[in-house]
Amino acid sequence: MTNPHDPYGQQHPYGQQQPSGQFEQPYGLQPYQPPQQYYVQQAYVRPPDQGMAVASLVCSLIGLIMCFPAILGIIFGHIALAKAKRGEAGGQGMAQAGMIIGYVITGLWLIPIILWFVFVVFAVGAAGIS
């Protein structure tokens, strides 16, 4: 539909004029609407797994009573420390503590065992048993 008052047939920049005196919006343009606010719920972040680090520390401390768990504490400590450095787990400090305690306790258990073997070797040598 052309405007009879527009001799050149150009479309008005605001669209066609309606009988009410307002202009029709061309090409489906919408009036300005302020942006909507969206509320984002933060996701729960699970704390990193510390199972190996705890196992390392517990096994190392049980190693005070028996020697073998201290060796497990050293192994678990190395695994937990590697996972913590890669970012797969937490408890880096606990893993280091478990390793250090495990090494110290294993060393303390090795001293009497080595002394016992030395004593047995000397006792066998002194007795002249060959």
Side-chain angles (χ1 to χ4, degrees):
M1 172 192 295
T2 61
N3 189 349
H5 301 291
D6 189 6
Y8 300 108
Q10 293 178 349
Q11 187 174 7
H12 193 275
Y14 296 114
Q16 298 292 328
Q17 187 172 10
Q18 299 294 320
S20 64
Q22 295 182 351
F23 288 98
E24 175 185 309
Q25 295 291 328
Y27 309 110
L29 293 177
Q30 299 295 322
Y32 173 76
Q33 294 178 357
Q36 296 179 358
Q37 293 182 351
Y38 295 100
Y39 295 99
V40 179
Q41 182 180 4
Q42 292 184 352
Y44 173 72
V45 178
R46 190 174 144 240
D49 185 26
Q50 299 179 0
M52 284 292 222
V54 172
S56 168
L57 189 59
V58 169
C59 286
S60 295
L61 291 175
I62 292 176
L64 288 168
I65 301 168
M66 301 177 279
C67 181
F68 184 70
I71 297 169
L72 289 176
I74 294 169
I75 295 169
F76 291 153
H78 279 285
I79 294 170
L81 189 61
K83 282 186 173 185
K85 286 185 178 180
R86 286 191 309 255
E88 296 175 7
Q92 183 174 358
M94 212 178 325
Q96 288 176 340
M99 281 181 5
I100 292 169
I101 292 171
Y103 278 122
V104 169
I105 299 226
T106 302
L108 291 175
W109 273 100
L110 285 177
I111 292 172
I113 292 172
I114 291 171
L115 290 175
W116 184 78
F117 278 124
V118 169
F119 174 75
V120 168
V121 168
F122 282 127
V124 168
I129 301 174
S130 37

